[in-house]
């Protein structure tokens, strides 16, 4: 779903739905020396990226540039239809920091985190919901981004689903932020949102909203996604360098993700808390 995102401009699923396909200049040779790190990104897509460098993908890009010992440069474009075609495929930039694993129109690196859709509810919500068929959802008014995986299972659960737009120009609209704000102001009982966005925006209300990762869901849709970085095909040395970077800096990356309240899952799909991360770091 960096994406990435990043995944998606809005969700991991959005990456699968909104990226353009193109192979312009695909036969040019791979760069072997880099005098800058050129990142394809959306300038208005928190918590992933923004032009002020406030997103967690911005922070990871800074780590990469420091490791390469080169300046960091962004190519900004709204993540709507054609984003890949107009940035990465045109070779005006060289990496997308957040892309859902398995996205077939570019080359994926190794994953660097795994997250899951989450239910955002008021702080006093007293049910521990971890799946979309939980009886506690019946009759509730739940916000969801249109065309994303939770919609059909939510309707089956008996919830009333309110759709928020999927494909928007992020310079003008912020549907995820709007949906979570509607939970905070009481217009919605809850919202089911891609985990990194759920955690980030829920924490920015007073009091913070509760975020319940749906890690035990076994409906016929996928709610958890592995997130990689995306590069052009035919660049094996660049892929090898990024995979090595991820391996060497995974602890720092995890710390950034935790700072941004990203709900993280381990390789078995179980939630990773701070204690689990500390154990992994010392093992």
């Amino acid at each position: 779903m960096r994406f990435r995102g990043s995944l998606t401009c809005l969700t991991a699923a959005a990456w699968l739905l909104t990226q353009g396909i193109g192979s312009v200049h695909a036969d040019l040779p791979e760069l072997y020396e880099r005098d800058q790190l050129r990142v394809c990104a959306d300038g208005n897509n928190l918590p992933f990226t923004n032009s002020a460098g406030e997103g967690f993908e911005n922070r990871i890009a800074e780590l990469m540039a420091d490791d390469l010992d080169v300046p960091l440069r962004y190519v900004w474009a709204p993540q709507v239809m054609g984003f890949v075609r107009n940035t990465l495929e045109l070779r005006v930039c060289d990496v997308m920091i957040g892309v859902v694993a398995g996205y077939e129109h570019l080359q994926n690196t190794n994953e660097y985190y795994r997250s899951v859709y989450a239910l955002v509810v008021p702080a006093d919500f007293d049910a521990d919901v971890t799946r979309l068929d939980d009886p506690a959802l019946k009759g509730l008014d739940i916000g969801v981004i249109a065309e994303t995986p939770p919609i059909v299972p939510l309707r089956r659960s008996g919830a009333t689903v309110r759709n928020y737009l999927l494909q928007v120009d992020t310079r003008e609209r912020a549907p995820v932020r709007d949906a979570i704000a509607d939970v905070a102001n009481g217009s919605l009982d809850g919202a089911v949102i891609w985990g990194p966005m759920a955690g980030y925006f829920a924490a920015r209300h007073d009091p913070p909203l509760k975020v319940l990762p749906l890690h035990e869901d076994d409906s016929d849709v996928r709610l958890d996604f592995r997130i990689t970085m995306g590069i052009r095909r035919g660049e094996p040395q660049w892929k090898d360098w990024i995979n090595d970077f991820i391996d060497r800096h995974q602890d720092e990356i995890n710390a950034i993700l935790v700072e941004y309240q990203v709900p993280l899952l381990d390789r078995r799909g179980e939630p990773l808390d701070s204690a689990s991360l500390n154990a992994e770091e010392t093992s």
Side-chain angles (χ1 to χ4, degrees), residues 201-229:
F201 289 112
R204 278 151 180 78
H205 287 275
D206 187 15
L209 301 173
K210 185 180 294 187
V211 178
L212 302 173
L214 298 167
H215 64 282
E216 294 185 333
D217 188 76
D218 60 359
S219 58
D220 55 358
V221 299
R222 184 175 179 183
L223 296 184
D224 68 282
F225 294 87
R226 293 174 171 86
I227 306 305
T228 72
M229 299 189 195

Side-chain angles (χ1 to χ4, degrees), residues 19-271:
Q19 303 310 305
I21 303 170
S23 298
V24 179
H25 308 308
D27 295 331
L28 292 176
E30 179 176 10
L31 291 172
Y32 293 105
E33 293 186 8
R34 299 177 188 275
D35 56 8
Q36 57 187 332
L37 176 63
R38 304 186 304 171
V39 176
C40 322
D42 189 320
N44 298 277
N45 195 28
L46 288 175
F48 308 105
T49 54
N50 74 356
S51 57
E54 297 170 327
F56 67 76
E57 291 182 9
N58 293 111
R59 297 272 298 278
I60 294 168
E62 290 167 9
L63 274 180
M64 292 178 69
D66 287 345
D67 199 88
L68 283 166
D69 194 23
V70 297
L72 172 60
R73 177 192 166 203
Y74 288 99
V75 173
W76 302 114
Q79 285 182 352
V80 294
M81 187 70 73
F83 178 80
V84 173
R85 181 178 63 245
N86 295 324
T87 56
L88 193 68
E89 290 293 345
L90 286 181
R91 303 180 75 92
V92 296
C93 47
D94 302 312
V95 63
M96 298 161 61
I97 302 296
V99 178
V100 66
Y103 178 58
E104 62 184 4
H105 299 299
L106 45 68
Q107 182 174 201
N108 293 103
T109 67
N110 292 345
E111 68 183 81
Y112 65 94
Y113 75 95
R114 179 180 180 183
S115 192
V116 64
Y117 276 79
L119 174 67
V120 179
V121 289
D124 59 358
F125 187 81
D126 60 1
D128 186 18
V129 175
T130 58
R131 49 196 299 145
L132 290 174
D133 63 357
D134 193 299
L137 298 179
K138 186 174 182 179
L140 297 186
D141 190 9
I142 303 294
V144 66
I145 302 302
E147 301 178 52
T148 56
I151 291 178
V152 172
L154 272 174
R155 286 176 175 154
R156 289 178 187 154
S157 75
T160 299
V161 175
R162 188 190 306 179
N163 287 319
Y164 290 73
L165 289 176
L166 169 66
Q167 297 190 45
V168 298
D169 186 333
T170 55
R171 294 169 297 188
E172 304 292 336
R173 304 285 296 275
V176 169
R177 188 172 57 200
D178 292 344
I180 293 176
D182 284 344
V183 176
N185 66 32
S187 299
L188 290 174
D189 296 311
V192 176
I193 302 294
W194 171 232
M197 306 187 84
Y200 180 80
F201 289 112
R204 278 151 180 78
H205 287 275
D206 187 15
L209 301 173
K210 185 180 294 187
V211 178
L212 302 173
L214 298 167
H215 64 282
E216 294 185 333
D217 188 76
D218 60 359
S219 58
D220 55 358
V221 299
R222 184 175 179 183
L223 296 184
D224 68 282
F225 294 87
R226 293 174 171 86
I227 306 305
T228 72
M229 299 189 195
I231 62 174
R232 286 178 292 274
R233 297 188 185 281
E235 297 187 334
Q237 293 198 26
W238 186 217
K239 179 179 179 179
D240 288 346
W241 185 89
I242 294 175
N243 285 341
D244 179 65
F245 165 82
I246 291 170
D247 183 62
R248 289 184 290 108
H249 292 275
Q250 187 65 67
D251 292 347
E252 293 164 272
I253 292 171
N254 287 344
I256 292 170
L257 296 170
V258 169
E259 181 182 340
Y260 280 75
Q261 295 86 33
V262 176
L264 297 175
L265 302 182
D266 64 19
R267 294 177 181 177
R268 298 168 297 174
E270 294 297 321

